[in-house]
């Protein structure tokens, strides 16, 4: 297999500034950096409350070289839809409007607005960077928190008891033109999906896995490796769904055992072997279900 | 901005909604860190594993960049004969290649062979300035050739004394044509000659000239190799039809085609034995190799054994010859007596019966001996006979060092880390030393002694101090000396180099894709066993270039930009010279760059140290 060197596929232009306020090794800031490289200059970002509200910098600073609108926690999709309508009213058909929200702002409180926008097929690109908890307010669980994880609201004695919500399936059920999962650990795949989303009209949804060192209790330099392991272990398969119907896996997940992935993270430290076995069984059954959907489409 | 003025709240001079006016670059978030990344090139394990001391990683990277001529010149800095080593070196570099833990080692020898072949007919860079001193080199095997080459490139006048009619040592008279075409060897020796080295062939030091005549030289390098074949030490050894392996190879390398008869027995399990077996096959014989231990203990290179097997040699393991028996010619004895009755007694003592068989005993393997191999023991009453027309012995060789001062006689010669013997100005290398007897070690020892001689002569001339920083000349803590480092003219721009070898655990293998190793093109055995043409054809150019791209380029930044791409703080930028800057004002010390660097070229260091 001859690989194209990453440096030949990664655009050089930067839209993220240094001096932003993300923690060292933050997966969310790296996600923004890569996504914007693929979107280019004609982009506007709508941002509900989340870690990124901080990363963007306090007034009067901004860490983006593009327009970014701060907005309320539950309104990511609505604000983006509104900006798009305003741009169209001004005759701008080119600019991509992005809603950039955390998992809390997407899976939980923002879901109603997102579902409404998707149902109307608003011409926006909704990106959820998923760090699997409410990190900005100090690691509370969200419906994206994976089974077995510690958070401050699911302490070690009572860890997260429900499986992670299948957000892509929910979005697919809205029959939007494009929905996909990606992570900065696979830049080629991520760039391709962002470009495809940019070129598509209607509601597009990207689910990005963005490891969070303080929230996951992991080393700062493991962000990429963890995302890679999640993909390889089929915890976070990389796929894309067109019109809610055509499901396709874009990067092979060889099915590494999940044990080493969990073992690297302090938030799973309390797990016993049987817990890990149960999580593995769940990953396996979800993978089988995904295989069926892929085969059936 | 005109636009932002337009939305100013007239009454207060501020916008009615908050609009950012500065970037976050005002925050020097670099102050958060307690560790910082540092670009720090280290040493690839192949470089340390090569006994010649070649910057393998360096030429692989130049080839990746398509800078083929520079790659060739980089090899020629350390190795005078890459076309030769690319063919006959047992490539210990590949055993230390990090890629082995990923899929298969890089076929370094094949890439080196391609570079060596491209270099044929191309001169080596000559010395920049001539020096007054002259050096004598005794023996023109790989050790002597390497020493002469490097000394000439350092500006010295060099004379090589060689007992044989042509230079090359084992390369010329031992290794068969089908493994190393003599035209290629001649071409590589020609490159050394073109540097101004004088070859005095047919000159045996000790017989034709003496070491005392080295008064003509300011230093001498002795590399006369090992040529005295060990004897079998069993009855019948001197019968006609018993060949010493080296004699057979030398005869064939001189263009003779001796008649060996139909059945040839080769005794020994080393490389010489394999060469003899494959040569005998080509002379039309059926060959049986006797070895007293099992296949696992054979000292011969694995690839050579495979080749001999494919060409049809038979192996009888756990077999020890105990007696060579001659043709009794019993049927002829009566007519002979009748003739003697008429013409008088023949001088029977000079009668020279030809070999007819070898009597062997079966062996079994006992406890491991000093070498760690299981020692063979003879099995009682297990004798059996193998009929044969010729026996070739290949039991190893010893040195003849009579020409050297008496204190250096007997056993391997001991030298300093710069190749000097206990005699000042007398250096030694190659098979005379207690190092693996291989072409690569010989070439490496010649280079080491060239550095030693250069240092010695410069010290004598008052141009250098007595101390040499050996640690800094070695490629990695255990590697050979680097001529490039000695000359301090590395064409590869390195960043904060440290002499530390990068292990596979220091690499980020996720950044690489699997790719099959390219295997040399071998002519079919049914064809090669009938001729002396080269049996291994190496790799086609494109395949060798692709093989070079399989190299991870361990330890040395090759500008892949993976670090830059994965920095969440946009703190790494590429300079015009291809190197990288880290904006420490903003780098938070997360270490992702170092963790993701495929080749371990970034080290995290404690802040403030
Ligand atoms: C048959 C055979 C096959 C081999 N195959 C391989 C192989 O495939 N790969 C590998 O790595 N190694 C191989 N080896 C080992 C390798 O060839 C030797 O380790 C290497 O050649 C040693 O180099 P040298 O310079 O020390 O000595 P040599 O190559 O032995 O050269 C010594 C030279 O000194 C000359 N000489 C000796 N005495 C005097 C004197 N008094 N005056 C002047 N000249 C003198 C000799 O004529 C000879 O030319 C093989 C060895 C043999 C015998
Ligand atoms: C209506 C409302 N409730 C609560 C908050 C407080 N709040 C701000 S960010 C945040 C968590 C966001 O979590 P997530 O969307 O996962 O993003 P993250 O911080 O993890 O990046 C919360 C609860 C708010 N801003 N608005
Ligand atoms: S991968 Fe390349 S640099 Fe690394 S050890 Fe192998 S040949 Fe040397
Ligand atoms: S990735 Fe960036 S922020 Fe992290 S250590 Fe390297 S240079 Fe610093
Ligand atoms: S990641 Fe690539 S560019 Fe960066 S230090 Fe390593 S080799 Fe050099
Ligand atoms: Mg979150």
């Amino acid at each position: 297999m001859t690989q194209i060197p990453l440096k030949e596929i990664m655009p050089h232009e930067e839209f993220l500034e240094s001096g932003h306020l993300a923690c060292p090794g933050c997966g969310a800031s790296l996600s923004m950096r890569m996504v914007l490289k693929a979107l280019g200059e004609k982009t506007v970002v709508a941002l509900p409350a989340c870690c990124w509200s901080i990363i963007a910098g306090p007034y009067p600073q901004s860490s983006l070289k593009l327009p970014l609108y701060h907005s309320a926690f539950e309104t990511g999709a609505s604000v983006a839809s509104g900006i798009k309508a305003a741009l169209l009213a001004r005759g701008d058909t080119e600019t991509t409007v992005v809603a950039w929200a955390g998992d809390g702002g997407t899976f939980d409180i923002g879901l109603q607005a997102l579902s409404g926008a998707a149902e109307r097929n608003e011409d926006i690109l909704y990106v959820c960077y998923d760090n699997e908890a409410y990190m900005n307010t100090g690691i509370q669980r969200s419906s994206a928190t994976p089974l077995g994880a510690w958070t401050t609201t699911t302490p070690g004695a009572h860890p997260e008891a429900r499986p992670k919500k299948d957000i892509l399936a929910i979005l697919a059920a809205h029959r939007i033109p494009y929905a996909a999962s990606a992570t900065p650990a696979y830049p080629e795949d991520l760039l391709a999906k962002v470009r495809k989303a940019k070129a598509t009209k209607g509601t597009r949804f990207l689910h990005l896995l963005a490891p969070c060192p303080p929230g996951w209790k992991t080393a700062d330099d493991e962000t990429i490796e963890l995302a890679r392991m999640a993909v390889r272990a089929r915890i976070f398969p990389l796929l894309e769904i067109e019109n809610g119907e055509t499901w396709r896996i874009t990067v092979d997940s060889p099915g590494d055992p999940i044990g080493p992935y969990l073992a690297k993270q302090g938030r799973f430290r309390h797990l016993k072997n049987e817990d890990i076995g149960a999580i593995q069984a769940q990953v396996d059954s979800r993978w089988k279900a995904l295989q069926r959907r892929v085969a059936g489409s | 901005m005109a636009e932002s003025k337009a939305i100013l709240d007239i009454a207060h001079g501020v916008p009615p909604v908050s609009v950012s006016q500065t970037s976050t670059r005002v925050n020097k978030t670099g102050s958060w860190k307690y560790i910082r990344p540092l670009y720090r090139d280290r040493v690839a394990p192949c470089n340390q594993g090569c006994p010649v001391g070649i910057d393998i990683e360096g030429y692989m990277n130049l080839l990746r960049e398509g800078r083929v001529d520079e790659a060739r010149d980089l090899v020629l800095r350390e190795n005078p004969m890459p076309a030769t080593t690319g063919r006959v070196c047992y490539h210990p570099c590949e055993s230390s290649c990090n890629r082995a833990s990923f899929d298969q080692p890089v076929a370094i020898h094949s890439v080196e062979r391609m570079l060596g072949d491209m270099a044929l007919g191309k001169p080596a860079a000559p010395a920049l300035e001539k020096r007054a001193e002259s050096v004598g080199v005794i023996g023109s095997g790989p050790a002597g050739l390497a020493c002469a080459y490097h000394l000439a490139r350092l500006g010295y006048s060099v004379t090589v004394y060689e007992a044989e009619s042509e230079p090359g040592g084992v390369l010329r008279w031992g290794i068969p044509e089908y493994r190393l075409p003599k035209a290629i060897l001649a071409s590589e020796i020609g490159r050394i000659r073109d540097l101004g080295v004088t070859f005095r062939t047919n000159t045996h030091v000790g017989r034709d000239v003496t070491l005392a005549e080295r008064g003509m030289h300011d230093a001498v390098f002795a590399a006369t190799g090992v040529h005295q074949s060990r004897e079998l030490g069993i009855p019948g050894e001197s019968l006609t039809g018993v060949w010493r392996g080296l004699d057979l190879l030398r005869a064939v390398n001189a263009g003779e085609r001796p008649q060996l008869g139909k059945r040839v027995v080769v005794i020994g399990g080393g490389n010489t034995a394999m060469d003899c077996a494959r040569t005998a096959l080509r002379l039309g014989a059926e060959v049986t190799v006797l070895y007293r231990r099992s296949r696992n203990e054979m000292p011969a290179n694995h690839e050579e054994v495979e080749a001999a097997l494919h060409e049809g040699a038979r192996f009888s393991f756990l077999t020890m010859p105990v007696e060579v028996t001659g043709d009794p010619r019993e049927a002829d004895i009566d007519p002979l007596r009748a003739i003697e009755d008429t013409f008088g007694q023949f001088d029977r003592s000079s009668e020279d019966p030809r070999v007819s068989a070898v009597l062997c005993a079966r062996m079994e393997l006992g406890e491991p001996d000093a070498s760690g191999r299981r020692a063979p023991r003879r099995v009682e009453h297990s004798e059996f006979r193998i009929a044969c027309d010729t026996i070739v012995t290949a039991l190893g060789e010893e040195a003849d060092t009579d020409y050297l001062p008496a204190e250096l006689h007997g056993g391997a010669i001991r030298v300093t880390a710069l190749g000097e013997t206990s005699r000042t100005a007398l250096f030694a290398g190659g098979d005379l030393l207690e190092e693996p007897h291989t072409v690569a070690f010989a070439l490496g020892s010649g280079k080491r002694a060239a550095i030693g001689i250069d240092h010695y002569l410069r010290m004598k001339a008052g141009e250098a101090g007595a101390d040499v920083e050996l640690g800094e000349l070695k490629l990695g803590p255990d590697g050979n000396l680097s001529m490039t480092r000695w000359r301090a003219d590395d064409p590869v721009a390195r960043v904060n180099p440290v002499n530390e070898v990068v292990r596979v655990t220091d690499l980020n293998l996720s950044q690489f894709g699997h790719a099959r190793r390219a295997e040399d093109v071998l002519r079919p055995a049914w064809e090669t066993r009938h001729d002396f043409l080269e049996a291994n054809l190496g790799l086609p150019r494109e395949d060798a270039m692709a093989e070079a791209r399989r190299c991870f380029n361990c330890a040395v930044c090759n500008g892949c930009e993976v670090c830059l791409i994965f920095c969440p703080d946009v703190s790494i930028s590429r300079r015009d010279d291809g190197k990288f800057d880290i904006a420490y004002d903003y780098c938070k010390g997360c270490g992702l760059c170092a963790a993701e660097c495929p080749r371990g070229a970034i080290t995290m260091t404690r802040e403030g140290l």
Side-chain angles (χ1 to χ4, degrees):
Chain A
M1 165 176 142
T2 41
Q3 280 183 310
I4 307 168
L6 272 187
K7 70 172 168 185
E8 278 165 35
I9 56 178
M10 184 60 66
H12 285 266
E13 211 173 341
E14 300 288 355
F15 298 98
L16 173 65
E17 296 268 25
S18 297
H20 64 64
L21 297 182
C23 304
C26 171
S29 51
L30 188 52
S31 297
M32 178 72 93
R33 181 177 173 220
M34 282 191 192
V35 168
L36 291 185
K37 275 170 179 277
L39 287 177
E41 194 184 13
K42 283 205 173 310
T43 304
V44 174
V45 179
L47 192 78
C50 55
C51 278
W52 246 99
S53 316
I54 305 303
I55 301 171
Y59 178 77
Q61 307 167 8
S62 173
S63 62
L64 292 197
K65 297 181 188 170
L66 304 166
L68 176 149
Y69 287 82
H70 289 273
S71 59
F73 195 17
E74 57 275 51
T75 63
S78 341
V79 170
S81 306
I83 294 171
K84 183 69 192 183
L87 288 173
L88 285 176
R90 276 172 41 168
D92 176 349
T93 52
E94 255 179 282
T95 301
T96 308
V97 180
V98 177
W100 184 273
D103 48 294
T106 304
F107 287 59
D108 295 345
I109 195 171
L111 189 61
Q112 177 274 132
L114 171 58
S115 176
E119 192 272 330
R120 295 188 303 276
N121 199 21
E122 295 284 352
D123 191 16
I124 58 169
L125 168 56
Y126 192 107
V127 183
C128 169
Y129 71 93
D130 181 1
N131 50 21
E132 303 194 319
Y134 293 67
M135 295 307 181
N136 184 39
T137 41
I139 325 177
Q140 294 82 23
R141 80 168 284 273
S142 76
S143 53
T145 302
L147 182 65
W150 164 95
T151 65
T152 53
T153 47
T154 51
H158 306 280
E160 174 60 47
R162 296 291 302 153
K164 186 183 177 95
K165 191 186 272 182
D166 188 350
I167 195 75
L168 270 187
I170 293 173
L171 268 297
H174 288 74
R175 297 277 189 265
I176 55 170
Y178 190 69
S181 55
T183 145
Y186 292 84
E188 191 174 356
D189 180 69
L190 181 141
L191 292 177
K193 285 172 175 166
V194 176
R195 285 186 181 125
K196 194 161 173 179
K198 181 183 171 176
T200 304
K201 257 190 100 61
T203 305
R204 296 87 80 193
F205 180 81
L206 281 180
H207 182 202
L208 308 182
L209 184 66
C212 164
W216 293 17
K217 307 293 172 215
T218 52
D220 297 349
D221 66 353
E222 286 179 334
T223 299
I224 298 299
E225 175 64 6
L226 283 165
R228 201 156 39 218
M229 289 174 98
V231 171
R232 292 185 55 89
R234 300 175 174 165
I235 290 166
F236 193 81
L238 296 181
L239 54 117
E240 60 183 13
I241 308 161
E242 281 166 27
N243 303 313
E245 276 165 9
T246 321
W247 291 56
R248 206 166 67 84
I249 291 172
T250 54
V251 170
D252 179 46
S253 286
D256 295 354
I258 58 160
Y261 171 72
L262 301 177
K264 267 187 179 294
Q265 307 175 46
R267 64 174 173 153
F268 292 115
R269 194 170 42 211
H270 53 277
L271 294 183
K272 303 197 183 53
N273 279 344
E274 56 265 31
D275 304 329
I276 296 175
I279 298 173
Q280 179 75 65
Q282 193 210 83
V283 167
D284 292 346
S285 82
R286 281 193 163 198
W287 176 257
K288 276 214 194 77
L290 175 61
Q291 298 284 76
R292 279 196 300 272
R293 294 197 97 139
V294 169
S297 69
Chain B
M1 271 191 294
E3 222 175 328
S4 59
K5 271 213 192 81
I7 54 170
L8 286 189
D9 177 324
I10 308 297
H12 302 93
V14 294
V17 291
S18 37
V19 175
S20 301
Q21 278 118 25
T22 61
S23 96
T24 44
R25 292 184 68 82
V26 294
N27 308 317
K28 297 285 155 44
T29 46
S31 65
W32 303 0
K33 69 177 158 302
Y34 56 95
I35 47 175
R36 70 164 60 193
L38 191 70
Y39 288 91
R40 215 171 63 147
D41 289 337
R42 295 188 270 175
V43 177
C46 52
N47 288 14
Q48 173 171 268
C50 167
V52 184
I54 302 172
D55 183 4
I56 296 167
E57 181 284 317
Y59 73 65
M60 292 287 181
N61 191 43
L62 288 168
L63 288 176
R64 167 191 310 279
E65 293 178 356
R67 294 155 69 185
V68 184
D69 292 353
E70 289 162 82
R72 177 197 69 205
D73 292 344
L74 200 70
V75 179
L76 288 178
R77 284 169 159 267
E78 308 292 341
N79 182 3
M81 35 201 354
T84 297
T85 45
R87 287 171 168 80
V88 305
C89 176
Y90 305 130
H91 42 74
C93 52
E94 292 180 18
S95 321
S96 46
C97 173
N98 274 335
R99 185 142 191 154
S101 327
F102 184 66
D103 43 22
Q104 299 145 294
V106 175
I108 300 173
H109 74 280
S110 314
V111 179
E112 182 181 33
R113 173 171 170 167
M114 171 195 74
L115 286 172
D117 286 354
M118 284 180 0
L120 293 174
K122 299 271 182 346
L128 295 178
E129 49 191 280
K130 284 268 159 234
R131 291 194 60 90
E133 300 96 327
S134 97
V135 181
V137 171
I138 312 175
S140 66
L145 289 172
C147 190
Y149 171 83
H150 289 294
L151 285 171
R153 295 192 58 219
L154 287 166
Y156 295 95
S157 328
V158 184
T159 306
V160 179
Y161 301 90
E162 170 54 56
E164 296 285 351
S165 57
E166 284 178 38
V170 172
L171 304 176
R172 174 64 187 86
W173 304 104
I175 297 179
E177 170 84 16
Y178 62 83
R179 286 212 288 131
L180 175 60
K182 301 307 156 189
I184 288 186
L185 175 66
S187 169
E188 295 207 299
I189 294 178
R191 178 164 52 222
I192 301 172
R193 208 187 289 272
D194 290 345
L195 288 167
V197 172
T198 308
F199 285 90
R200 281 183 58 189
T201 47
N202 294 313
T203 308
H204 184 283
V205 174
R207 203 169 55 221
D208 305 320
V209 295
T210 64
L211 197 55
E213 287 172 44
R214 75 172 169 83
M216 312 182 322
H217 299 296
D218 300 282
V220 166
F221 177 63
T224 47
V226 290
H227 295 272
Q228 312 269 77
S229 298
R230 279 197 200 103
E231 308 209 319
L232 273 172
I234 58 174
E237 182 164 11
S238 49
L239 294 183
T240 299
V242 180
W243 283 80
R244 288 192 176 126
L246 286 191
D247 293 343
L248 174 66
L249 295 174
R250 120 178 279 296
V252 175
N253 271 320
E256 295 166 29
R257 294 290 179 263
Q259 298 291 314
L260 302 181
K262 200 79 214 111
R263 297 158 305 173
V264 171
V265 163
V266 175
I267 301 173
N271 289 310
T272 308
M274 296 307 104
D275 283 342
C276 291
R278 296 179 69 190
T279 297
L281 285 169
R282 284 164 174 73
L283 295 172
E286 289 165 9
V287 176
T288 307
V289 179
L290 308 188
Y291 181 53
R292 59 197 185 115
R293 309 190 204 221
S294 69
R295 167 126 195 221
N296 288 339
E297 288 80 32
M298 277 181 80
N301 175 257
H302 172 76
E303 289 160 32
E304 288 303 306
V305 182
E306 284 294 307
L309 276 168
H310 280 126
E311 289 176 353
R314 281 191 299 261
F315 284 76
S316 180
F317 293 110
L318 295 168
T319 303
M320 183 175 72
V322 293
E323 187 181 345
V324 178
T325 54
D327 189 345
R329 298 187 193 184
E330 238 123 62
D332 298 341
I333 207 85
D334 291 337
L336 185 66
R337 293 237 168 84
I339 296 166
E340 282 178 339
D341 288 345
T342 316
F343 297 98
Q345 191 85 20
F346 287 116
D347 177 6
R348 289 280 199 96
S349 65
S350 72
E351 183 180 275
D352 201 7
R354 232 195 119 78
V355 160
S356 67
V358 53
L359 184 68
C360 302
R362 280 273 171 238
M363 309 296 282
E364 59 187 7
L365 291 180
E367 296 304 308
D369 65 7
S371 70
R373 297 181 301 175
R374 294 174 66 192
R377 270 197 316 252
R378 185 169 172 171
V379 178
E380 293 297 324
H381 311 300
S382 65
E383 289 72 18
F384 63 102
R385 198 173 288 274
I386 302 176
C388 59
D389 305 303
T390 297
I391 291 176
V392 183
T393 65
L395 302 161
E397 296 81 30
E398 275 152 18
D400 173 4
T401 48
D402 286 353
Y403 68 98
L404 288 172
E407 73 236 41
L408 300 177
H409 291 180
I413 295 177
R414 298 161 79 93
V415 293
T416 66
L418 288 176
E420 196 169 17
T421 66
S422 49
R423 278 281 177 114
T424 307
L426 179 59
F427 294 72
D431 283 358
L432 287 178
L433 310 185
E434 191 148 36
E435 276 184 356
H437 286 186
T438 68
V439 173
F441 270 97
L443 289 166
S445 72
K447 182 174 80 177
R448 197 167 58 201
I451 293 174
I453 291 170
D454 189 35
H455 173 248
Y456 163 74
L457 292 176
R458 285 176 189 276
M459 207 172 63
K460 231 175 119 186
E463 300 166 29
D467 289 339
V468 179
E469 237 339 307
L470 270 177
E472 279 170 22
L473 292 180
K474 287 183 181 173
L475 292 172
D478 300 324
N480 193 15
L481 307 186
S482 153
M483 182 55 80
T484 295
R485 291 203 194 164
W486 174 248
R487 300 168 64 123
D489 61 353
D490 196 345
V492 179
R494 290 172 211 276
V495 181
N496 303 317
V498 278
N499 208 16
E500 201 177 279
V501 170
V502 156
R503 295 292 157 203
V504 72
T505 45
D506 301 325
L507 310 181
N508 174 18
L509 297 179
S510 318
Q511 297 294 344
F512 300 110
H514 288 273
R516 277 186 66 78
R517 166 185 163 107
E519 298 294 348
D520 287 344
V521 179
L522 306 179
R523 288 171 60 220
W526 49 263
E527 196 180 296
T528 56
R529 63 167 291 174
H530 298 298
D531 64 39
F532 282 89
L533 301 176
E534 194 161 28
N536 178 332
L537 302 177
L539 285 182
R541 174 80 57 98
E542 321 78 76
D543 293 1
M545 292 296 281
E547 192 60 18
R549 287 192 295 274
R550 280 184 75 236
C551 169
F552 292 159
N553 304 123
C554 303
V556 182
C557 171
N558 72 356
C560 72
E561 293 186 10
V562 163
C563 50
L564 182 154
I565 287 167
F566 286 108
C567 173
D569 288 276
V570 205
S571 297
I572 300 180
S573 55
R574 191 165 186 142
R575 294 199 306 250
D576 289 345
D577 67 359
K579 304 292 175 197
F580 296 87
D581 279 329
I582 298 177
Y584 289 114
D585 271 353
Y586 301 108
C587 161
K588 293 174 187 153
C590 69
L592 269 174
C593 50
E596 287 306 310
C597 172
R599 46 196 54 83
I602 303 179
T603 308
M604 296 305 290
T605 57
R606 284 276 299 282
E607 189 67 357
L609 290 182

